[in-house]
Amino acid sequence: MTQEDLFKNLIAHTKEYGFIFPSSEVYDGLSAVYDYGQLGSELKNNIKKYWWNAMVRLNENIVGIDSAIFMHPKIWEASGHVGAFNDPLIDNKDSKKRYRADVLLEDYIAKLEEKIHKDVEKGKNKFGEAFDQVQFCATNPNVLRNQTKIDACRGRMVEALNANDLAALKQLIIDCEIVCPISGSKNWTDVRQFNLMFSTQLGSVSDESGTIYLRPETAQGIFVNYLNVQKTGRMKIPFGIAQIGKAFRNEIVARQFIFRMREFEQMEMQFFVRPGEELEWFKKWRETRLKWHKAIGLGEENYRYHDHDKLAHYANAATDIEFNFPFGFKELEGIHSRTNFDLSRHQEFSGRKLQYFDPETNESYVPYVVETSVGLDRTVLAILSGAYKEEQLENAEERVVMKIHPALAPVKLAVLPLIKKDGLPELAREIMKTLKLDFNCQYDEKDSIGKRYRRQDAIGTPLCITIDHQSLEDNCVTLRDRDSMAQIRIPIAELAHKVDEKVSMKRLLELI
RNA sequence: GCGGAAAUAGCUCAGUUGGUAGAGCAUCAGCUUCCCAAGCUGAGGGUCGCGAGUUCGAAUCUCGUUUUCCGCUCCA
């Protein structure tokens, strides 16, 4: 079976058993938006708990917050999102290629500059020692013409970009007679604006001043609370602030199931350090975070680092942790050394001092930041795709089993009376009653026992206990393991302990 | 956003030149069943993605539209 088929089967499986549904399905769905069903939300909650415990509970110097999705609009100016994510785009109708309008114009200017440069070189060769570049540029007609074009183009472009005048940008592209590098044609669409941020109105009256954005990342909620947390939590550098929450990006194309959604959830931690020590901490978190992923048990070979060569405007080091999804290795988590960019910018834009007085060095400084940012939905997808197995059994039968780590599995155990009479259901209910306080249990008495085992395999339940006639006499039940399908007989009194041993989150946390 | 393909029951699909919407599995109820699904009986569930048009009559033909998948494109 190809990876593609397997992925299709997985998507169908997650829908069929209640992990993930397309959003608003009765209204034909909503593009690139998905809902978590009864099992998906359990799984997601378990992942959150695993992350939160690993970050906040295991580290004395990391605390968690939960900031609002709505934030002051100036935050997105300070962070660079308003400037950097308003790209004017234009399509060539013949080649079907899309370009950034400003990049097309910059390329055009670069070409003209190249021409001037060539003319200057020619001049140098011609006049030798007597060559005066300033004089040459001021008199040579070719150079003058090109320079005039450059100045005009640049002037109009800056004006149009500042005024957000898309029609003027298009007119400029037409006037400059820019052709598509692929098709060579001038057959352009209108320039359109793609803003990656969703906006809405604060207050019931809509006017320009009330426009606010749904946050495109959770990080800024941490940065603007840096001072609050540091002061009230008496935090000493180095320390971290963690947060799990939703973020929103109006992607042009969002696809590949829950890999790229317009509404998604991040698990982020910003770690504040002394300037100059950031790369050391970057290295440390890079390793720690990979361990966290590998502990989930989807196979170490399915993870790899991808170090960035091209860095974002705020970073001085960046790595992705990639996972081998059914559609190839793709980013699961980003670890970025963000320098003091964010806090400095907020200091500048807010006029508040966002510094730390370091009692060890007697210095005040804006802390440097190392960020770890995992996609929660991507982690769900990694687990679902990594755990989904279509197994061939010895008796030539097939079973679909989700080998989700027991600590993360949505349902921890199923309680199954072998048959639904002779007092077996009653005893099963009694056992269920005590266990459901500690574990997410499912009770099932419908169909043959084998069928019920397969049903539990299909949703990744690590343990099943079966109550038979003998149980009524010796107070023992059968404990059946999902992965090995092996069965052992144990006293009812030992059940809670035995199950806890298997499904406890401790087993995961100890590996980090 | 562009190009290609698809959409019929929860799932997988059938449905003849246009003539009353079907199967298997799943679900539910009852029976059966002493440890790895698909034994018996019965039941529920579909305005065939949605909207127009052609026609006496449309799941079927035409147009539009939505969603999904694949390939481009985009992705601090």
Side-chain angles (χ1 to χ4, degrees):
Chain A
M1 176 165 332
T2 66
Q3 283 289 87
E4 205 177 287
D5 287 336
L6 203 64
F7 189 40
K8 277 186 181 161
N9 289 356
L10 170 70
I11 294 171
H13 185 84
T14 59
K15 188 191 163 196
E16 191 174 349
Y17 286 90
F19 283 92
I20 294 161
F21 307 120
S23 162
S24 320
E25 210 188 356
V26 295
Y27 287 99
D28 290 333
L30 188 61
S31 183
V33 186
Y34 291 88
D35 296 337
Y36 285 89
Q38 64 276 20
L39 296 178
S41 56
E42 291 282 350
L43 172 62
K44 197 171 158 189
N45 280 336
N46 290 340
I47 296 168
K48 284 189 200 177
K49 199 169 132 200
Y50 171 42
W51 185 84
W52 192 267
N53 285 350
M55 301 305 274
V56 176
R57 214 184 268 179
L58 291 191
N59 294 287
E60 285 176 34
N61 59 346
I62 298 180
V63 293
I65 64 165
D66 184 7
S67 71
I69 286 169
F70 294 144
M71 291 194 264
H72 196 287
K74 269 207 159 173
I75 286 170
W76 306 114
E77 287 174 38
S79 70
H81 284 81
V82 170
F85 296 103
N86 280 296
D87 297 339
L89 300 178
I90 188 165
D91 291 9
N92 183 272
K93 288 180 188 167
D94 298 314
S95 65
K96 311 289 184 199
K97 293 288 171 190
R98 171 169 296 158
Y99 303 90
R100 271 175 58 174
D102 54 328
V103 170
L104 278 180
L105 290 164
E106 290 287 359
D107 288 349
Y108 167 76
I109 289 171
K111 264 187 204 158
L112 291 175
E113 280 172 344
E114 179 72 14
K115 277 187 186 169
I116 291 178
H117 181 72
K118 273 186 186 160
D119 285 334
V120 168
E121 288 299 310
K122 273 188 202 163
K124 266 186 196 165
N125 288 337
K126 196 172 168 188
F127 297 108
E129 299 258 319
F131 181 72
D132 180 343
Q133 188 164 334
V134 177
Q135 172 74 19
F136 179 81
C137 291
T139 54
N140 183 290
N142 283 341
V143 173
L144 277 175
R145 197 178 61 237
N146 285 332
Q147 191 61 50
T148 309
K149 275 189 190 170
I150 291 173
D151 292 344
C153 176
R154 182 163 282 149
R156 285 175 65 186
M157 180 175 81
V158 169
E159 200 180 308
L161 285 174
N162 285 342
N164 217 0
D165 188 342
L166 302 178
L169 269 181
K170 187 186 179 184
Q171 194 54 49
L172 183 54
I173 285 171
I174 291 168
D175 291 348
C176 293
E177 301 191 320
I178 292 173
V179 299
C180 169
I182 309 262
S183 68
S185 89
K186 295 178 210 164
N187 192 7
W188 297 105
T189 63
D190 285 340
V191 177
R192 284 157 302 171
Q193 191 92 20
F194 286 92
N195 190 338
L196 243 48
M197 287 194 290
F198 288 96
S199 59
T200 186
Q201 301 293 327
L202 190 65
S204 52
V205 182
S206 60
D207 64 66
E208 189 72 9
S209 65
T211 298
I212 55 167
Y213 297 102
L214 271 59
R215 64 183 179 196
E217 63 174 26
T218 52
Q220 300 304 327
I222 293 178
F223 295 133
V224 298
N225 276 301
Y226 156 76
L227 210 55
N228 284 338
V229 174
Q230 193 269 316
K231 297 277 187 211
T232 59
R234 297 158 51 233
M235 308 305 289
K236 286 196 177 65
I237 271 181
F239 74 94
I241 304 177
Q243 166 160 241
I244 300 173
K246 291 234 172 162
F248 305 82
R249 292 180 200 179
N250 201 358
E251 304 277 359
I252 299 165
V253 174
R255 257 200 296 223
Q256 272 157 334
F257 198 36
I258 58 169
F259 183 80
R260 176 167 289 117
M261 295 193 288
R262 298 207 165 95
E263 171 180 344
F264 59 101
E265 204 156 358
Q266 295 179 306
M267 305 189 287
E268 283 199 340
M269 192 276 297
Q270 309 293 334
F271 201 69
F272 300 91
V273 303
R274 202 175 278 165
E277 294 181 358
E278 72 274 12
L279 292 179
E280 244 170 81
W281 284 106
F282 172 77
K283 242 179 92 183
K284 191 233 161 204
W285 281 113
R286 191 176 175 273
E287 278 159 27
T288 307
R289 290 306 306 152
L290 185 61
K291 270 194 211 162
W292 183 90
H293 289 286
K294 286 186 172 174
I296 294 173
L298 301 174
E300 305 218 336
E301 70 285 1
N302 287 320
Y303 295 91
R304 72 178 188 200
Y305 288 119
H306 173 246
D307 295 317
H308 289 211
D309 302 322
K310 261 171 66 183
L311 295 170
H313 57 278
Y314 53 72
N316 68 357
T319 300
D320 290 343
I321 292 174
E322 296 187 330
F323 179 75
N324 189 11
F325 287 100
F327 38 87
F329 274 96
K330 296 274 175 168
E331 178 185 354
L332 183 57
E333 169 154 7
I335 295 120
H336 296 228
S337 174
R338 291 181 80 125
T339 69
N340 61 359
F341 176 84
D342 299 277
L343 287 181
S344 297
R345 293 276 288 186
H346 287 308
Q347 190 167 258
E348 187 188 318
F349 277 67
S350 69
R352 300 289 186 93
K353 212 169 149 187
L354 298 177
Q355 302 196 344
Y356 176 77
F357 178 77
D358 196 326
E360 280 182 49
T361 59
N362 270 334
E363 279 179 307
S364 247
Y365 53 79
V366 178
Y368 271 51
V369 172
V370 175
E371 166 190 84
T372 72
S373 174
V374 207
L376 174 53
D377 309 281
R378 290 181 181 188
T379 308
V380 171
L381 183 58
I383 291 172
L384 289 175
S385 63
Y388 180 83
K389 307 279 180 209
E390 296 176 1
E391 279 188 350
Q392 204 71 33
L393 298 180
E394 283 174 16
N395 59 5
E397 276 176 2
E398 205 180 74
R399 74 162 178 164
V400 173
V401 53
M402 298 283 269
K403 295 195 170 175
I404 303 171
H405 192 286
L408 301 177
V411 178
K412 301 306 182 194
L413 87 156
V415 180
L416 315 170
L418 190 57
I419 58 170
K420 58 175 167 186
K421 59 179 183 187
D422 304 338
L424 299 186
E426 287 75 6
L427 179 57
R429 287 285 187 193
E430 226 173 87
I431 293 170
M432 172 102 176
K433 212 170 156 186
T434 63
L435 291 177
K436 73 180 176 190
L437 296 173
D438 292 312
F439 312 106
N440 189 19
C441 301
Q442 259 190 14
Y443 176 85
D444 193 1
E445 59 179 26
K446 173 84 181 160
D447 296 312
S448 76
I449 190 68
K451 200 165 183 173
R452 282 177 276 166
Y453 286 151
R454 298 296 168 82
R455 269 207 286 264
Q456 295 302 327
D457 289 342
I459 63 170
T461 308
L463 294 171
C464 294
I465 62 173
T466 306
I467 293 90
D468 56 26
H469 289 88
Q470 207 186 323
S471 305
L472 298 172
E473 288 151 27
D474 65 2
N475 278 318
C476 286
V477 294
T478 305
L479 193 65
R480 182 258 192 189
D481 181 80
R482 175 193 68 198
D483 298 342
S484 66
M485 297 167 75
Q487 304 183 348
I488 53 168
R489 206 162 168 83
I490 64 163
I492 293 169
E494 287 175 26
L495 265 179
H497 173 72
K498 204 81 181 168
V499 174
D500 185 65
E501 213 170 53
K502 179 89 179 173
V503 307
S504 168
M505 186 95 35
K506 267 188 219 159
R507 286 184 58 217
L508 261 176
L509 293 170
E510 279 163 4
L511 295 174
I512 305 165

